[in-house]
Amino acid sequence: MATHMPYTARTSSGDVFEISFPLHAETGSAMRVSQLLTAILETLDREIAILGETSNGDVLQALSMASAIRAAMIHAPLPVTQRLATQLQATALRAMEHAERQTPQAGHA
């Protein structure tokens, strides 16, 4: 099993992030993780385009709530799933500290 998942994220604003996400030791499929991540990001972009102006804080809050619901759906004691969700979030955030960011140039020549 791979210990890291390379991922390229392209934002609606044109930024590109090259990220190496550490994977949890019990990851079932890095490919499935990548596919789900892409689907989530594409869905967010599509919905925000339809809904209009949406604050980044509102997006983060909704994602945190969705993560909490998914964690609670696991048939395990709540403290165990809360700890897992918190650890996974912290690991992903740390990976972003090392991500390479490319920002498109603005302006006219």
Side-chain angles (χ1 to χ4, degrees):
M1 168 56 79
T3 59
H4 284 78
M5 180 186 80
Y7 190 82
T8 301
R10 290 176 173 76
T11 70
S12 58
S13 64
D15 288 346
V16 177
F17 291 94
E18 296 291 342
I19 313 142
S20 179
F21 284 113
L23 294 172
H24 188 273
E26 295 180 34
T27 300
S29 168
M31 182 187 309
R32 183 65 70 216
V33 172
S34 179
Q35 290 169 332
L36 287 168
L37 177 55
T38 297
I40 290 166
L41 292 173
E42 288 174 351
T43 299
L44 283 171
D45 284 345
R46 186 177 58 249
E47 289 301 312
I48 290 169
I50 293 168
L51 296 172
E53 189 71 26
T54 304
S55 77
N56 289 319
D58 289 353
V59 174
L60 290 176
Q61 188 169 213
L63 287 170
S64 293
M65 291 172 178
S67 179
I69 291 166
R70 291 301 306 188
M73 291 169 61
I74 298 170
H75 293 284
L78 193 55
V80 171
T81 59
Q82 287 175 335
R83 186 170 46 255
L84 175 61
T86 300
Q87 289 170 348
L88 292 172
Q89 179 68 21
T91 298
L93 288 170
R94 278 192 304 277
M96 292 307 297
E97 291 176 9
H98 305 288
E100 187 177 314
R101 181 181 194 158
Q102 301 166 10
T103 303
Q105 294 193 4
H108 303 282

